[in-house]
Amino acid sequence: MKQEIRPGYVPYEYRHAPVPGGGFVTGFCFHPREKGILYARTDIGGVYRYDFESKRWISLMDHVKETGKWETYPLSIALDPQNPDWLYIISGDWKNNYLCRSKDRGEHFEYLRLPTGVHGNAPGRATGERLMVDPHNSSRLYFGSQTEGLFVSEDYGEHFRKLQVRPAGGEEETDIAFVWLDPRSEREGCCQTLLAATSGQGNSTGGTIRGKSLYLSTDGGRSFQELPGQPEAGEYGNYPGFVGQRAAFVNGYLFVTLAAVKNSWAGWRGYACDMGGEQQGCVLRYELSPEGEVRSVVSVTPGADVSDVNHTSPLIHETCGFGGIDADQRHPGYLICSTQGSKNKEERIFLSTDYGEHWSPILQGLTVGRMDFEGVPYMKPEYNNHENIIHWLSDLKIDPFDSARAVFNTGTGIFMTENLLEAAQGRQVTWKACCTGLEETVHLNVYSPPRGEVQMIDILGDLGGFAFTDLTRPAENSFADEKGHRYITCLNADYPEERPELVAVTARGNWIGKTTGGIIWSEDQCRTWRRLPDPQGISKKIDSLIAEIRKPNTNAGWVALSADGRTLIWSVGDGMYLPADAVVYTEDLGCTWAACKVFDLRGEGSTLKVFSDRVDPELFYGFGEDSRMYLSTDRGRSFHEIAVPREFPKLELGGIDTIMPAEIRVEAGKCGTVWISTGEGGLWRLQFDKLTKRASFLKVSCEGDSIYRQGMGKAAPHSEYKTLYVNGIIQGEYGFYRSFDEGRTWQRINHERQMYGDIRSITGDPRTFGRVYIATGSRGVLWGEPIKAQP
């Protein structure tokens, strides 16, 4: 089909349907010499700069295209103390690995290839900075990689050469957790004292026991020695041993937090809070001379006695590890540090005013300190088992120009205080949600009902789902049961076009077991929910899968609801896939279930994802591995495989969550019409015939064009077709596009700073012409509308 892009583009404004925070913020950097510069890195949402005047976070990643989403995975950030406008970011996805260098605070970037693979969403991402700029030599950068050890650049990151973190008589450590430079140690124009925290794999004492983590160099990285005073590995955990998490320095004292994880599901790389389980840990204080000599080592672990560990092992806190730590440069002796992996699930922040000799808790659960959840209603304790939602608290920083201000990270956003100094007078510290502008949730599917209060149904990872009645305000809570307990990661939703108040959703049960995964059901357009009964006794396999789904945080699968709302089909999940022999249907909301029969043309298929026709309640469509397709004309009781032309791209269409290479949409208002965007294979329109049980296939896009995600909205005035919205590469240009004639012609509807990274799902609004919804895996969920011309 011949296409052309009309000249220019239609200017659009994009705004977030706000879900402030929602994802893991992995670290902060204040500029040490210039007031008002603060950056935050996230695991999947790129880097943000804080605007102190407007009190909002500004994304530095909105230029990132779907084809370059590696840039949204920052592993480390570094600032140049001598050049406040300079910003360095290490980003990558193992295949694409770059040093991103900016000379204007992140407004523009240069990209320099790295000598090794990196990933900002890999295990260990919660530790300190792996990238450091020498405060005495701006051209000199140290980079601690995850797999190949330590590197140094002497030309602003243009080139790197290898350094070896190898103690005398030992082996090289190749997984670096963080790097620290002593600013006092300048000789020959650069810092000489360098600390590298490692995973301890290289110098393991045998089996899975970690060697020591901390190594010090006093000659600019040419040689390293093991730091004294580190705890012995012991027997705690499946990879026993303590790994350095972060460091802080003030007045000759270096403070280091260490942690050992109870269960590493990532092997040697599992040493940070992102393992999700319990930890043990300690805090060590090293007194260093300007030449790097270790004068003393003292264990200053909160909750344990202070002890000199020059000759004895430090005391270990057996119910938590320690992660974040920072020193107040304006008030010598003032420190804050945080626990992580606490056995009782209550993370704490401690304050010391005497270099760690004594500590006082200033935040603990909901009993010490004050948490202010204004602007982030889904985080309120009443929706989280009446507990503090704070977890994965691995970093905290004090503003070097305002000792009353500090920030800390969580697995669900950022909190800030502006009265930290009052803690020393015994007053309560207030921590306010600081998430405005921070949108880094992973959104999996998006829908816009044809009527009702709800404008948009948002299906997303971790938080579950939101129903937005006002696109400018956060929803009060995510999908929850009658007691307010939230469900978490949902995979999809479905509703009849004629009865959109009926909504079925596949949901995971939450982490603490207060809700149970499966199918949840609403009859009031997502205001209230109840969980449907599970199928039982149909087959041993289905029983086994249901048993797994009932466990916390397990994918439930995929749901389809007939056009009249009477028949519900559940493709029961098995991890990231939907087994073809685990598809069931009910016509009485789960009181009884039966297996769907699947008839194959060429051997038994392995996966099957089901969609409903939007008009005919008897029609359902199935999609599986290698683009196998099926049709049901009897309300899902049986599915018959249909022939698919060879030229149709071969994809896994029976996956969920991260295994969704295509977007499948059944067109509303038409019987038998299905649209599939296949990425590099382009955009296809399928027309199913109920009588012949066949389908015709039409490739809508031109050869060479790539269409990644797609959906439809209200038709343009005087158009006979619904408006089609896509993201993809059309005539060589990546962007968002719309079409009024089923893809014959296109209009570009975004500019170069409206890309938003990883795009997971797109749909239009059936009620408002021109409105498009974009669910991202890196920048929240957005809605866009044409900018009205000024009179």
Side-chain angles (χ1 to χ4, degrees), residues 375-412:
V376 287
Y378 69 90
M379 294 191 198
K380 293 178 181 178
E382 53 261 45
Y383 303 137
N384 294 278
N385 197 36
H386 301 283
E387 297 175 352
N388 196 337
I389 197 174
I390 301 309
H391 62 287
W392 290 14
L393 201 174
S394 61
D395 192 22
L396 37 71
K397 291 289 191 296
I398 300 170
D399 189 332
F401 297 92
D402 184 352
S403 298
R405 179 185 291 124
V407 292
F408 72 77
N409 73 322
T410 74
T412 188

Side-chain angles (χ1 to χ4, degrees), residues 460-645:
L460 69 164
D462 291 338
L463 300 183
F466 292 100
F468 284 91
T469 57
D470 182 343
L471 296 173
T472 66
R473 297 171 58 85
E476 176 64 20
N477 192 18
S478 59
F479 300 162
D481 66 12
E482 66 278 3
K483 297 179 181 179
H485 298 308
R486 294 193 293 118
Y487 293 93
I488 59 172
T489 301
C490 296
L491 279 305
N492 84 307
D494 202 8
Y495 51 83
E497 300 292 328
E498 296 302 317
R499 297 193 63 190
E501 71 276 10
L502 305 179
V503 184
V505 167
T506 46
R508 293 183 191 176
N510 66 24
W511 294 279
I512 58 175
K514 292 295 183 179
T515 53
T516 302
I519 302 293
I520 58 174
W521 175 260
S522 176
E523 296 183 359
D524 52 14
Q525 209 171 46
C526 307
R527 282 194 291 273
T528 61
W529 297 92
R530 65 185 174 98
R531 185 182 180 280
L532 298 186
D534 295 322
Q536 294 181 347
I538 295 176
S539 73
K540 290 183 179 180
K541 179 171 184 176
I542 293 174
D543 287 347
S544 175
L545 293 176
I546 293 297
E548 288 298 313
I549 289 168
R550 293 181 66 86
K551 296 178 181 178
N553 196 24
T554 304
N555 282 342
W558 193 268
V559 68
L561 193 58
S562 63
D564 60 3
R566 214 180 86 195
T567 304
L568 184 150
I569 297 180
W570 183 5
S571 298
V572 180
D574 183 3
M576 301 291 185
Y577 297 93
L578 304 169
D581 56 356
V583 183
V584 294
Y585 71 92
T586 180
E587 294 192 337
D588 53 15
L589 295 181
C591 293
T592 59
W593 292 90
C596 300
K597 296 179 180 179
V598 180
F599 298 94
D600 303 286
L601 290 177
R602 49 186 178 90
E604 184 176 340
S606 61
T607 59
L608 186 65
K609 178 190 288 185
V610 176
F611 291 78
S612 63
D613 192 81
R614 312 313 290 170
V615 175
D616 188 337
E618 294 183 338
L619 284 180
F620 288 88
Y621 312 102
F623 303 89
E625 84 287 356
D626 292 330
S627 296
R628 297 176 73 168
M629 300 185 189
Y630 304 80
L631 177 64
S632 173
T633 60
D634 56 6
R635 289 185 173 271
R637 286 163 174 77
S638 63
F639 283 83
H640 295 264
E641 187 173 6
I642 67 168
V644 176

Side-chain angles (χ1 to χ4, degrees), residues 755-782:
M755 295 296 182
Y756 310 117
D758 181 17
I759 308 300
R760 297 293 185 92
S761 182
I762 291 177
T763 197
D765 192 308
R767 291 176 273 185
T768 303
F769 166 67
R771 182 182 293 172
V772 60
Y773 300 98
I774 300 174
T776 83
S778 47
R779 276 288 282 144
V781 62
L782 300 112

Side-chain angles (χ1 to χ4, degrees), residues 21-339:
F24 188 23
V25 176
T26 54
F28 304 101
C29 279
F30 278 100
H31 196 278
R33 299 178 186 174
E34 181 86 4
K35 185 178 180 180
I37 300 178
L38 169 62
Y39 297 93
R41 57 176 163 95
T42 70
D43 57 359
I44 54 87
V47 173
Y48 288 79
R49 185 183 66 240
Y50 191 62
D51 185 316
F52 285 85
E53 184 174 347
S54 65
K55 295 186 176 182
R56 66 181 298 115
W57 293 94
I58 308 300
S59 171
L60 306 183
M61 301 288 115
D62 286 350
H63 64 279
V64 176
K65 301 175 182 178
E66 168 78 22
T67 50
K69 57 190 176 186
W70 58 265
E71 196 175 345
T72 67
Y73 306 132
L75 177 65
S76 186
I77 53 182
L79 307 182
D80 183 347
Q82 298 189 58
N83 296 292
D85 291 341
W86 282 53
L87 165 68
Y88 294 93
I89 305 172
I90 293 283
S91 291
D93 60 3
W94 298 127
K95 295 180 180 179
N96 305 282
N97 312 289
Y98 289 88
L99 175 66
C100 311
R101 184 176 67 189
S102 174
K103 300 174 183 177
D104 55 9
R105 305 190 186 191
E107 292 298 318
H108 305 87
F109 286 96
E110 303 168 279
Y111 300 98
L112 309 171
R113 284 194 177 273
L114 290 170
T116 180
V118 299
H119 205 307
N121 194 29
R125 62 197 186 277
T127 57
E129 298 307 329
R130 292 171 167 90
L131 184 67
M132 296 291 292
V133 179
D134 191 316
H136 300 284
N137 185 343
S138 295
S139 67
R140 191 175 181 90
L141 280 67
Y142 289 92
F143 162 46
S145 75
Q146 294 156 295
T147 58
E148 295 188 36
L150 184 64
F151 294 83
V152 65
S153 171
E154 296 171 306
D155 54 9
Y156 302 93
E158 297 280 346
H159 306 89
F160 283 90
R161 62 180 173 84
K162 192 81 160 53
L163 299 174
Q164 286 198 334
V165 181
R166 181 199 297 267
E171 300 298 324
E172 183 184 7
E173 295 286 352
T174 58
D175 183 353
I176 309 298
F178 72 82
V179 178
W180 171 80
L181 300 175
D182 187 342
R184 305 168 304 161
S185 65
E186 185 269 333
R187 294 187 298 278
E188 300 177 3
C190 60
C191 287
Q192 297 297 318
T193 300
L194 164 69
L195 174 70
T198 75
S199 71
Q201 179 181 4
N203 290 280
S204 168
T205 58
T208 61
I209 299 174
R210 300 181 188 274
K212 294 298 192 293
S213 173
L214 306 176
Y215 295 91
L216 191 71
S217 173
T218 57
D219 55 12
R222 288 187 289 274
S223 64
F224 284 85
Q225 60 184 344
E226 179 186 305
L227 262 184
Q230 298 181 61
E232 297 300 323
E235 299 180 353
Y236 182 78
N238 59 341
Y239 282 78
F242 294 83
V243 175
Q245 303 293 303
R246 292 182 183 266
F249 183 76
V250 62
N251 287 357
Y253 290 114
L254 173 67
F255 297 84
V256 182
T257 57
L258 294 100
V261 305
K262 185 175 182 179
N263 178 55
S264 168
W265 49 261
W268 293 101
R269 296 183 185 179
Y271 48 73
C273 73
D274 47 23
M275 291 298 97
E278 297 174 12
Q279 298 185 4
Q280 295 183 352
C282 64
V283 181
L284 299 182
R285 185 183 73 195
Y286 291 89
E287 184 181 5
L288 300 179
S289 74
E291 294 74 34
E293 175 192 357
V294 178
R295 291 173 171 168
S296 67
V297 190
V298 177
S299 174
V300 291
T301 304
D305 293 334
V306 173
S307 61
D308 186 314
V309 293
N310 284 304
H311 305 291
T312 63
S313 183
L315 296 174
I316 300 303
H317 202 302
E318 295 185 351
T319 64
C320 65
F322 291 89
I325 191 162
D326 199 22
D328 185 347
Q329 304 295 327
R330 299 165 66 90
H331 292 80
Y334 278 58
L335 303 163
I336 53 175
C337 81
S338 63
T339 65

Side-chain angles (χ1 to χ4, degrees), residues 744-758:
R744 295 177 181 85
T745 58
W746 297 97
Q747 293 178 336
R748 174 88 175 262
I749 57 172
N750 72 321
H751 57 64
E752 293 303 310
R753 289 185 176 266
Q754 294 174 326
M755 295 296 182
Y756 310 117
D758 181 17

Side-chain angles (χ1 to χ4, degrees), residues 20-21 55 370-382 414-416 430-436 473-476:
K55 295 186 176 182
R370 176 175 174 265
M371 297 293 298
D372 185 342
F373 297 101
E374 182 180 356
V376 287
Y378 69 90
M379 294 191 198
K380 293 178 181 178
E382 53 261 45
I414 299 170
F415 287 80
M416 179 181 287
T430 297
W431 300 91
K432 297 182 179 181
C434 181
C435 297
T436 302
R473 297 171 58 85
E476 176 64 20

